[in-house]
């Protein structure tokens, strides 16, 4: 019986290997043999999680053709990986990826570190902050006071508590976007909302247009749903969205869905302007594409002099083209798994009907807590605390990184929780691996791209400040020195393979 659970095609593996940045060899240094470079590249993809464990690799002849190298080179690379514990093989079943005994299985998303690891490792992988107390405690206490009437019911509200749906609708109306409760569905976080939308509109094999780069966990969710991702390049720096490029992709690829984070984009921090938003909606409407607007970062405005543009759904108030996703998890606390969808009533009815086969509904107590925050002014006061903390962390991290790593390039976003950093020609994947060794966890750029793009980037969230931010920058600098010295993945960086 085969031990592999998925497969990586030769062309796909060649693209992933081709995305790995090649570091120029210094004077007098020797390049590794081709088989060693190939083995190092595959090992790095496994450690990074971009090739999953237990994934069947292409046959030697197929990969040799895709990489334009000899079959002997591939055979030697596979043998080296087997000797190191990163590959297992069985006659008649092929070869599949593995991790050596004692090594942790790499995560494919951006899961937070377990609590027991936080004392020794600085976690820059998860863009989430501690709860803004005392507002979490007050919200739960307020929810408990409101709970008794609901305890006498079945407790299942697939569309969400009527009171919270009405409150969220009123908040959109107050923003100048008339909204009825029938246009709202409460979900288990933004991920639950987007998962439901993908299953309704983006069945297996359907195309979904996504920003390139985009939020790693959403990209992985879409892949696992069987979607075919169509990347649309973002402009450099904080330039963000180029509507004409989107119009062309939507017209030519005809994706069923498009996913955008127009408010302090994750990972770049870009903010779409009013004209960009209007033209994106027009392009989606013209192409017959449903545009999913992720607003989870929309309230994390860090520069007080910045005027926010209208919401994406302001250009489609009926919700027939724009399906909006909101959440309490980023603006308030990641442990408050309350999200929502705003769309046309018929879309909401379809989402609610499909939910019976997923999670049935969202916890009542947490919905009551969020409704208490919205109804008492606690939300605004908690978000003000969150903004102040994120602003302080941003400024501390920017200062520390500029001091310790002056060759790294980035633009400082005016909101959100993330800094998108070009690493001065170093491999982001190797920096992530080296970071594990020196006690700082950082996600590499390729996690946020499609098929290995953005190898020369890392994402740094505004989750640490003060002395911890300074120590994080020192550890990142140590990781960079380790990569530069060839101390990660052998004496040299792997060759760049081009499919």
């Amino acid at each position: 019986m085969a031990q592999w659970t998925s497969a990586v095609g030769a062309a796909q593996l060649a693209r992933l290997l081709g995305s790995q940045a090649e570091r120029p060899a210094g004077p007098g240094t020797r390049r590794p043999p081709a088989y060693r470079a190939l083995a190092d590249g595959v090992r790095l993809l496994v450690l990074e999680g971009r090739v999953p464990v237990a994934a069947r690799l292409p046959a030697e002849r197929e990969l040799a053709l895709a990489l334009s190298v000899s079959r002997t080179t591939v055979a030697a690379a596979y043998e080296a990986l087997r000797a190191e514990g990163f590959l297992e093989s069985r006659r008649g079943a092929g070869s599949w990826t593995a991790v050596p005994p004692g090594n942790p299985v790499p995560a494919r998303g951006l899961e937070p570190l377990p609590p027991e690891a936080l004392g020794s490792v600085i976690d820059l992988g998860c863009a989430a902050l501690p709860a803004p107390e005392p507002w979490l405690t007050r919200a739960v206490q307020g929810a408990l006071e409101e709970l008794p009437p609901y305890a006498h019911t079945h407790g299942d509200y697939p569309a969400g508590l009527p009171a919270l749906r009405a409150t969220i609708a009123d908040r959109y109306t107050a923003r100048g976007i008339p909204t009825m409760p029938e246009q709202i569905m409460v979900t288990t976080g933004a991920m639950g909302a987007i998962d439901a939308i993908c299953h309704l509109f983006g069945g297996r094999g359907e195309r979904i247009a996504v920003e390139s780069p985009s939020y790693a966990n959403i990209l992985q969710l879409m892949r696992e749903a069987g979607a075919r991702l169509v990347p649309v390049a973002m402009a450099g720096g904080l330039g963000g969205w180029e509507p004409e490029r989107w119009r062309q992709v939507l017209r030519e690829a005809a994706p069923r869905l498009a996913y955008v984070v127009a408010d302090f984009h994750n990972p770049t921090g870009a903010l779409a302007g009013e004209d960009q938003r209007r033209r994106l909606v027009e392009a989606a409407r013209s192409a017959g594409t449903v545009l999913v607007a992720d607003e989870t970062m929309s309230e994390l405005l860090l520069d007080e002099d910045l005027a926010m543009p209208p919401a994406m759904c302001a250009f489609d108030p009926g919700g027939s083209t724009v399906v909006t996703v909101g959440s309490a998890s980023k603006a308030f606390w990641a442990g408050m798994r309350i999200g929502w969808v705003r769309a046309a009533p018929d879309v909401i009815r379809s989402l609610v009907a499909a939910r019976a086969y997923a999670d049935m509904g969202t916890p009542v107590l947490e919905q009551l807590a969020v409704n208490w925050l919205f109804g008492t002014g606690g939300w605004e006061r908690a978000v003000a605390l969150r903004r102040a903390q994120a602003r302080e962390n941003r400024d501390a991290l920017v200062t520390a990184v500029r001091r310790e790593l002056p060759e790294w390039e980035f633009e400082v976003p005016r909101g959100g929780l993330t800094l998108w950093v070009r690493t001065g020609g170093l491999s982001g994947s190797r920096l992530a691996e080296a970071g594990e060794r020196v006690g700082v966890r950082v996600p590499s750029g390729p996690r946020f791209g499609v098929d290995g793009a953005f190898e020369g980037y890392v994402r740094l969230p505004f989750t640490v400040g003060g002395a911890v931010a300074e120590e994080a920058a020192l550890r990142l600098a140590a990781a960079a020195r380790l990569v530069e010295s060839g101390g990660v993945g052998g004496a040299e960086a792997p060759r760049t393979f081009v499919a």
Side-chain angles (χ1 to χ4, degrees), residues 135 139 163-164 167-168 170-171 367-380:
W135 297 105
L164 181 55
T167 299
I168 294 171
D170 289 344
R171 289 174 65 84
Q367 292 188 72
L368 290 172
V370 171
N371 200 48
W372 183 92
L373 287 165
F374 285 154
T376 62
W379 177 267
E380 286 71 23

Side-chain angles (χ1 to χ4, degrees), residues 46-277:
V46 173
L47 289 172
E48 171 71 358
R50 290 158 59 200
V51 169
V53 175
R56 186 179 186 274
L57 294 187
E60 294 171 2
R61 188 185 302 277
E62 293 175 1
L63 186 57
L65 288 172
L67 295 175
S68 298
V69 299
S70 71
R71 183 177 176 181
T72 302
T73 295
V74 178
Y78 278 15
E79 182 58 37
L81 290 167
R82 277 190 288 269
E84 296 163 3
F86 286 95
L87 196 68
E88 296 181 8
S89 303
R90 179 177 298 172
R91 185 177 297 276
S95 299
W96 56 92
T97 56
V99 292
N103 281 39
V105 177
R108 302 200 71 194
L110 304 178
E111 297 84 356
L113 282 174
E116 61 269 18
L118 293 177
S120 58
V121 178
I122 298 175
D123 186 6
L124 297 181
C126 183
L129 292 163
E133 288 286 36
W135 297 105
L136 173 61
T137 298
R138 291 184 183 178
V140 173
Q141 289 171 342
L144 286 171
E145 293 176 1
E146 298 291 332
L147 183 61
Y150 294 94
H152 295 291
T153 73
H154 48 67
D156 287 335
Y157 296 89
L161 293 183
L164 181 55
R165 295 177 72 195
T167 299
I168 294 171
D170 289 344
R171 289 174 65 84
Y172 278 105
T173 300
R175 294 167 63 185
I177 310 157
T179 303
M180 304 178 294
E182 293 79 9
Q183 290 180 263
I184 302 295
M185 180 177 83
V186 181
T187 63
T188 307
M191 291 288 288
I194 294 170
D195 183 57
I197 294 166
C198 286
H199 280 89
L200 179 63
F201 291 106
R204 186 164 295 276
E206 290 280 2
R207 294 185 180 92
I208 301 180
V210 296
E211 299 143 328
S212 184
S214 187
Y215 179 38
N217 285 342
I218 293 296
L219 294 180
Q220 190 58 31
L221 181 155
M222 292 174 175
R223 291 188 188 102
E224 293 181 359
R228 298 163 60 190
L229 302 184
V230 181
V232 186
M234 298 278 282
L238 298 178
W241 302 259
E242 296 182 319
E244 283 308 310
R245 178 178 291 175
W246 276 88
R247 184 179 295 277
Q248 178 181 358
V249 170
L250 297 184
R251 182 177 62 247
E252 295 178 355
R256 187 73 180 88
L257 282 177
Y259 170 77
V260 297
V261 186
D263 299 288
F264 307 121
H265 176 260
N266 187 353
T268 68
L271 175 67
E274 181 173 351
D275 184 61
Q276 286 175 312
R277 294 169 188 243

Side-chain angles (χ1 to χ4, degrees), residues 129-140 171 299-302 327-334 336 369-391 417:
L129 292 163
E133 288 286 36
W135 297 105
L136 173 61
T137 298
R138 291 184 183 178
V140 173
R171 289 174 65 84
E299 298 200 54
L300 291 174
L301 182 153
L302 304 186
S327 173
S329 299
K330 293 297 185 185
F332 185 74
W333 184 48
M336 188 68 77
V370 171
N371 200 48
W372 183 92
L373 287 165
F374 285 154
T376 62
W379 177 267
E380 286 71 23
R381 297 176 72 176
V383 169
L385 289 175
R386 170 67 78 241
R387 288 172 175 166
Q389 183 180 17
R391 184 186 307 116
L417 287 173

